Coordinates of all heavy atoms in Angstrom, one line a residue:
Q722 N -17.4 -9.2 2.1 CA -18.3 -10.3 1.6 C -18.0 -10.6 0.2 O -17.9 -11.8 -0.1 CB -19.7 -9.8 1.8 CG -20.8 -10.6 1.2 CD -21.1 -11.9 1.9 OE1 -20.3 -12.3 2.8 NE2 -22.2 -12.6 1.7
R723 N -18.0 -9.7 -0.7 CA -17.7 -10.0 -2.1 C -16.3 -10.6 -2.3 O -16.2 -11.5 -3.1 CB -17.8 -8.6 -3.0 CG -19.2 -8.0 -2.9 CD -20.1 -8.5 -3.9 NE -19.7 -8.2 -5.2 CZ -20.3 -8.7 -6.4 NH1 -21.3 -9.6 -6.2 NH2 -19.9 -8.3 -7.6
Y724 N -15.4 -10.1 -1.6 CA -14.0 -10.7 -1.7 C -13.9 -12.1 -1.3 O -13.2 -12.9 -1.9 CB -13.0 -9.8 -0.9 CG -11.6 -9.8 -1.4 CD1 -11.3 -9.0 -2.6 CD2 -10.5 -10.5 -0.7 CE1 -9.9 -9.0 -3.0 CE2 -9.3 -10.5 -1.3 CZ -9.0 -9.7 -2.4 OH -7.7 -9.7 -2.8
A725 N -14.7 -12.4 -0.2 CA -14.7 -13.8 0.3 C -15.5 -14.6 -0.7 O -15.1 -15.8 -1.0 CB -15.3 -13.8 1.6
I726 N -16.6 -14.2 -1.3 CA -17.4 -15.0 -2.2 C -16.6 -15.3 -3.5 O -16.6 -16.4 -4.0 CB -18.6 -14.2 -2.6 CG1 -19.6 -14.2 -1.4 CG2 -19.4 -14.9 -3.8 CD1 -20.8 -13.4 -1.6
Y727 N -15.8 -14.4 -3.9 CA -14.9 -14.6 -5.0 C -13.7 -15.7 -4.7 O -13.1 -16.1 -5.6 CB -14.3 -13.4 -5.6 CG -15.2 -12.7 -6.6 CD1 -16.2 -11.7 -6.2 CD2 -15.1 -13.1 -8.0 CE1 -17.0 -11.2 -7.2 CE2 -15.9 -12.5 -9.0 CZ -16.8 -11.5 -8.6 OH -17.6 -10.9 -9.5
G728 N -13.6 -15.9 -3.5 CA -12.6 -16.9 -3.0 C -11.2 -16.4 -3.0 O -10.2 -17.1 -3.0
F729 N -11.0 -15.0 -2.9 CA -9.7 -14.3 -2.8 C -9.2 -14.4 -1.4 O -8.0 -14.1 -1.2 CB -9.8 -12.9 -3.3 CG -10.1 -12.8 -4.8 CD1 -10.7 -11.7 -5.3 CD2 -9.8 -13.8 -5.6 CE1 -11.0 -11.6 -6.7 CE2 -10.1 -13.8 -7.0 CZ -10.6 -12.7 -7.5
I730 N -10.0 -14.7 -0.4 CA -9.4 -14.8 1.0 C -10.2 -15.8 1.8 O -11.4 -16.0 1.5 CB -9.5 -13.4 1.7 CG1 -8.7 -13.4 3.0 CG2 -11.0 -13.0 1.9 CD1 -8.5 -12.0 3.6
N731 N -9.5 -16.5 2.7 CA -10.2 -17.4 3.6 C -9.9 -17.0 5.0 O -9.0 -16.1 5.2 CB -9.7 -18.8 3.2 CG -10.7 -19.9 3.7 OD1 -11.5 -19.6 4.5 ND2 -10.5 -21.1 3.1
G732 N -10.4 -17.7 5.9 CA -10.1 -17.4 7.3 C -9.0 -18.3 7.9 O -8.3 -19.0 7.1
Y733 N -8.9 -18.2 9.1 CA -7.9 -19.1 9.9 C -8.6 -20.4 10.2 O -9.7 -20.7 10.0 CB -7.5 -18.3 11.2 CG -6.7 -17.1 10.9 CD1 -7.3 -15.9 10.6 CD2 -5.3 -17.1 10.9 CE1 -6.5 -14.8 10.4 CE2 -4.5 -16.0 10.7 CZ -5.2 -14.8 10.5 OH -4.5 -13.7 10.3
E734 N -7.7 -21.4 10.6 CA -8.1 -22.7 10.8 C -9.2 -22.9 11.9 O -9.9 -23.8 12.0 CB -6.9 -23.6 11.1 CG -6.2 -23.2 12.3 CD -5.0 -24.1 12.5 OE1 -4.8 -25.1 11.7 OE2 -4.2 -23.9 13.5
D735 N -9.3 -21.8 12.7 CA -10.3 -21.9 13.9 C -11.6 -21.3 13.4 O -12.5 -21.1 14.2 CB -9.8 -21.2 15.1 CG -9.4 -19.7 14.9 OD1 -9.7 -19.2 13.7 OD2 -9.1 -19.1 15.9
G736 N -11.7 -20.9 12.1 CA -13.0 -20.4 11.6 C -13.2 -18.9 11.7 O -14.3 -18.4 11.5
T737 N -12.1 -18.2 12.1 CA -12.1 -16.7 12.3 C -11.6 -16.1 11.0 O -10.7 -16.7 10.3 CB -11.5 -16.3 13.5 OG1 -10.1 -16.6 13.4 CG2 -12.1 -16.9 14.8
I738 N -11.9 -14.8 10.9 CA -11.2 -14.0 9.8 C -10.2 -13.0 10.4 O -9.4 -12.5 9.7 CB -12.3 -13.3 8.9 CG1 -11.6 -12.7 7.7 CG2 -13.1 -12.3 9.8 CD1 -12.6 -12.2 6.7
R739 N -10.4 -12.6 11.7 CA -9.5 -11.7 12.4 C -9.3 -10.4 11.6 O -8.2 -10.1 11.2 CB -8.2 -12.4 12.8 CG -8.4 -13.7 13.5 CD -7.1 -14.4 13.8 NE -7.3 -15.8 14.2 CZ -6.3 -16.6 14.5 NH1 -5.0 -16.2 14.4 NH2 -6.6 -17.9 14.8
I740 N -10.4 -9.7 11.3 CA -10.3 -8.7 10.3 C -9.5 -7.5 10.9 O -9.1 -6.7 10.0 CB -11.8 -8.3 10.1 CG1 -11.9 -7.6 8.7 CG2 -12.4 -7.3 11.2 CD1 -11.6 -8.4 7.5
F741 N -9.3 -7.4 12.2 CA -8.5 -6.3 12.7 C -7.0 -6.6 12.9 O -6.3 -5.8 13.4 CB -9.1 -5.7 14.0 CG -10.4 -5.1 13.8 CD1 -11.6 -5.6 14.3 CD2 -10.5 -3.9 13.1 CE1 -12.8 -4.9 14.1 CE2 -11.7 -3.2 12.9 CZ -12.9 -3.7 13.4
N742 N -6.6 -7.8 12.5 CA -5.2 -8.2 12.6 C -4.4 -7.3 11.6 O -4.9 -7.0 10.5 CB -5.0 -9.6 12.2 CG -5.1 -10.6 13.4 OD1 -5.7 -10.2 14.4 ND2 -4.7 -11.8 13.2
N743 N -3.2 -6.9 12.1 CA -2.3 -6.1 11.2 C -1.8 -7.1 10.1 O -1.5 -8.3 10.4 CB -1.1 -5.6 12.0 CG -1.6 -4.5 12.9 OD1 -2.5 -3.8 12.7 ND2 -0.9 -4.3 14.0
V744 N -1.6 -6.6 8.9 CA -1.1 -7.4 7.8 C 0.4 -7.4 7.8 O 1.0 -6.3 7.9 CB -1.7 -7.0 6.5 CG1 -1.1 -7.9 5.4 CG2 -3.2 -7.0 6.6
T745 N 1.2 -8.5 7.7 CA 2.6 -8.5 7.5 C 3.0 -8.3 6.1 O 2.2 -8.4 5.1 CB 3.1 -9.8 8.0 OG1 2.9 -10.9 7.1 CG2 2.7 -10.2 9.4
R746 N 4.2 -8.0 5.9 CA 4.8 -7.8 4.5 C 4.6 -9.1 3.7 O 4.3 -9.0 2.5 CB 6.2 -7.4 4.6 CG 6.3 -5.9 5.1 CD 7.8 -5.6 5.6 NE 8.8 -5.8 4.5 CZ 9.0 -4.8 3.5 NH1 8.3 -3.7 3.5 NH2 10.0 -5.0 2.6
A747 N 4.9 -10.2 4.3 CA 4.7 -11.5 3.6 C 3.3 -11.8 3.3 O 2.9 -12.3 2.2 CB 5.3 -12.7 4.5
E748 N 2.4 -11.5 4.1 CA 1.0 -11.7 3.9 C 0.5 -10.8 2.7 O -0.4 -11.2 1.9 CB 0.1 -11.4 5.1 CG 0.3 -12.5 6.2 CD -0.5 -12.1 7.5 OE1 -0.6 -10.9 7.8 OE2 -0.8 -13.0 8.3
T749 N 1.0 -9.7 2.7 CA 0.6 -8.7 1.6 C 1.0 -9.4 0.2 O 0.2 -9.3 -0.7 CB 1.3 -7.3 1.7 OG1 0.9 -6.8 3.0 CG2 0.9 -6.4 0.6
I750 N 2.2 -9.9 0.1 CA 2.6 -10.5 -1.0 C 1.8 -11.8 -1.4 O 1.4 -12.0 -2.5 CB 4.1 -10.9 -1.0 CG1 4.9 -9.6 -1.0 CG2 4.6 -11.8 -2.1 CD1 6.4 -9.8 -0.9
Q751 N 1.4 -12.5 -0.3 CA 0.5 -13.7 -0.6 C -0.8 -13.2 -1.1 O -1.4 -13.9 -2.0 CB 0.3 -14.4 0.7 CG -0.7 -15.6 0.6 CD -0.2 -16.7 -0.5 OE1 1.0 -17.0 -0.6 NE2 -1.1 -17.2 -1.2
L752 N -1.4 -12.1 -0.6 CA -2.7 -11.7 -1.0 C -2.7 -11.2 -2.5 O -3.5 -11.5 -3.3 CB -3.1 -10.4 -0.2 CG -3.6 -10.7 1.2 CD1 -3.8 -9.4 2.0 CD2 -5.0 -11.4 1.2
L753 N -1.6 -10.5 -2.8 CA -1.3 -10.1 -4.2 C -1.1 -11.2 -5.2 O -1.5 -11.3 -6.3 CB -0.2 -9.0 -4.3 CG -0.5 -7.7 -3.6 CD1 0.7 -6.8 -3.7 CD2 -1.8 -7.0 -4.2
N754 N -0.4 -12.2 -4.7 CA -0.2 -13.4 -5.5 C -1.4 -14.2 -5.8 O -1.6 -14.6 -6.9 CB 0.8 -14.4 -4.8 CG 1.2 -15.6 -5.6 OD1 1.9 -15.5 -6.5 ND2 0.6 -16.7 -5.3
T755 N -2.3 -14.2 -4.8 CA -3.6 -14.8 -5.1 C -4.4 -14.0 -6.2 O -5.1 -14.6 -7.0 CB -4.5 -14.8 -3.8 OG1 -3.8 -15.5 -2.8 CG2 -5.9 -15.5 -4.0
V756 N -4.4 -12.7 -6.1 CA -5.0 -11.9 -7.2 C -4.4 -12.2 -8.5 O -5.1 -12.3 -9.5 CB -4.8 -10.4 -6.8 CG1 -5.1 -9.5 -8.0 CG2 -5.6 -10.0 -5.6
E757 N -3.0 -12.3 -8.5 CA -2.5 -12.5 -9.8 C -2.8 -13.9 -10.5 O -2.9 -14.0 -11.6 CB -0.9 -12.5 -9.7 CG -0.1 -12.5 -11.0 CD 1.3 -12.1 -10.9 OE1 2.0 -12.7 -10.0 OE2 1.7 -11.2 -11.6
E758 N -3.1 -14.9 -9.7 CA -3.5 -16.2 -10.2 C -4.9 -16.2 -10.6 O -5.4 -17.2 -11.2 CB -3.2 -17.2 -9.1 CG -1.7 -17.5 -8.8 CD -1.5 -18.5 -7.8 OE1 -2.4 -18.9 -7.0 OE2 -0.4 -19.1 -7.8
N759 N -5.7 -15.2 -10.2 CA -7.1 -15.3 -10.6 C -7.6 -14.0 -11.4 O -8.8 -14.0 -11.7 CB -7.9 -15.3 -9.2 CG -7.8 -16.6 -8.5 OD1 -8.6 -17.6 -8.7 ND2 -6.8 -16.7 -7.6
V760 N -6.7 -13.1 -11.6 CA -7.1 -11.9 -12.3 C -6.2 -11.7 -13.5 O -4.9 -11.8 -13.4 CB -7.1 -10.7 -11.3 CG1 -7.3 -9.4 -12.1 CG2 -8.1 -10.9 -10.2
I761 N -6.7 -11.2 -14.6 CA -5.8 -10.7 -15.7 C -5.5 -9.3 -15.5 O -6.4 -8.5 -15.4 CB -6.6 -10.9 -17.1 CG1 -7.0 -12.4 -17.3 CG2 -5.8 -10.4 -18.2 CD1 -8.0 -12.6 -18.5
I762 N -4.2 -9.1 -15.3 CA -3.8 -7.7 -15.0 C -3.0 -7.1 -16.3 O -2.1 -7.6 -16.7 CB -2.8 -7.8 -13.8 CG1 -3.5 -8.4 -12.6 CG2 -2.3 -6.3 -13.5 CD1 -2.6 -8.6 -11.5
D763 N -3.6 -6.0 -16.8 CA -3.0 -5.3 -17.8 C -2.3 -4.2 -17.3 O -2.8 -3.1 -17.0 CB -4.1 -4.8 -18.8 CG -3.5 -4.1 -20.0 OD1 -2.3 -3.8 -20.0 OD2 -4.3 -3.8 -21.0
R764 N -1.0 -4.3 -17.0 CA -0.1 -3.3 -16.4 C 0.1 -2.2 -17.3 O 0.5 -1.1 -16.8 CB 1.1 -4.0 -15.8 CG 0.8 -5.0 -14.7 CD 2.1 -5.5 -14.1 NE 1.8 -6.3 -12.9 CZ 1.5 -7.6 -12.9 NH1 1.5 -8.2 -14.0 NH2 1.2 -8.2 -11.7

Side-chain angles (χ1 to χ4, degrees):
Q722 170 76 343
R723 297 276 290 175
Y724 208 74
I726 290 174
Y727 271 90
F729 292 154
I730 193 171
N731 204 340
Y733 292 83
E734 60 184 355
D735 62 357
T737 61
I738 191 171
R739 307 180 196 177
I740 206 68
F741 288 115
N742 275 17
N743 294 331
V744 182
T745 68
R746 287 164 60 81
E748 287 175 334
T749 301
I750 290 176
Q751 175 61 37
L752 285 170
L753 293 177
N754 183 75
T755 302
V756 169
E757 189 165 50
E758 292 184 340
N759 290 271
V760 177
I761 300 170
I762 303 172
D763 183 349
R764 293 184 172 88

